[in-house]
Amino acid sequence: AMDGAPPPPSPSGLSAYVAVSQLLGLTLLGTTGAWLGRYRGGVAWHSPLQFNAHPLCMVLGMVFLQGDALLVYRVFRHEAKRSTKALHALLHGLALVIALVGIIAVFESHRAKGIPDMYSLHSWCGMATFVLYLLQVRGGKPLAPPAGKGLCSTCDIPMSPQWFLGCGFFLFPGASFSLRGWYKPQHIFFGITLFILSITSSLLGITEMLLFNISDSYSHFVPEGILANTLGVLLVAFGLVVGYVLTREDWKRPPLAEELALSMDFKTLTEGESPGGGS
């Protein structure tokens, strides 16, 4: 909005779908807690119940918070890009830390009980998803570019080993703008793909946990099995709603006027083009 005018309203239906996604997300978190509390004894760290921290953390981090991180640019459509990006990064960071706690919990629990690690399809898919999530390259303008503080002030990519290659691409003379434009759809694709893989790994984990604990009675429609299956359906529903919001072209965040100006200036600097298209 210009001259203090109120921002334009959100597209029709967007707010309703976002609200449904949050209702589903909170419900699946509550269902996870109810399953672990009612049938698995609850959650405790230094005890035989340490394993139960794993499903709780993975659902909270790799599904709910990751899904909300993906929705940030749709929800905060008229906020400054820097603030929106900060929230996007914060939610991804929280998801990563919480997921790491869940992975530590399952490895420590296995070691305490003498259970082997990394032999099931769930563990393979889950670990692959976590590693890819950890290594995902994130482009865009820097949130804060102080020199020597872990950010490349020119290519705006966090300076850790997994980002060196991307930083090299963005520093390539005369190609920064075009490479940045090329990478954006790849970033969106991998973000959605990792979200889908997270839900898939969670579904595999639910099935594995049920077969380990109630394999003899699962086929008799026992309450625990029904509740866990309901959790699986909620996970799928949450993924579908988030995916629908993300893939609606008319619900994408429109660039603000100052962002368009900055992008044009950046293209002029890196490719030698004038705003009018001249050389």
Side-chain angles (χ1 to χ4, degrees), residues 66 69-70 73 81 85 88-89 92 132-133 135-140 163 170 179-195 246:
Q66 184 183 179
L70 296 177
Y73 289 106
K81 188 69 172 287
K85 183 171 290 186
H88 179 74
H92 274 307
L132 289 173
Y133 189 64
L135 300 181
Q136 185 186 16
V137 180
R138 297 182 183 177
W163 282 291
F170 275 73
L179 281 176
R180 187 173 295 189
W182 169 85
Y183 181 71
K184 183 178 179 181
Q186 320 304 320
H187 176 67
I188 295 172
F189 168 77
F190 282 113
I192 296 176
T193 299
L194 287 172
F195 180 60
L246 294 175

Side-chain angles (χ1 to χ4, degrees), residues 177-215:
F177 187 86
S178 58
L179 281 176
R180 187 173 295 189
W182 169 85
Y183 181 71
K184 183 178 179 181
Q186 320 304 320
H187 176 67
I188 295 172
F189 168 77
F190 282 113
I192 296 176
T193 299
L194 287 172
F195 180 60
I196 294 172
L197 288 174
S198 297
I199 292 177
T200 302
S201 299
S202 297
L203 295 176
L204 290 172
I206 291 171
T207 302
E208 182 178 295
M209 195 168 171
L210 288 174
L211 292 177
F212 276 151
N213 292 295
I214 60 169
S215 58

Side-chain angles (χ1 to χ4, degrees), residues 144-169:
K149 298 298 182 180
L151 285 174
C152 169
S153 60
T154 304
C155 65
D156 65 43
I157 298 175
M159 294 295 288
S160 59
Q162 64 267 27
W163 282 291
F164 281 144
L165 182 59
C167 192
F169 276 123

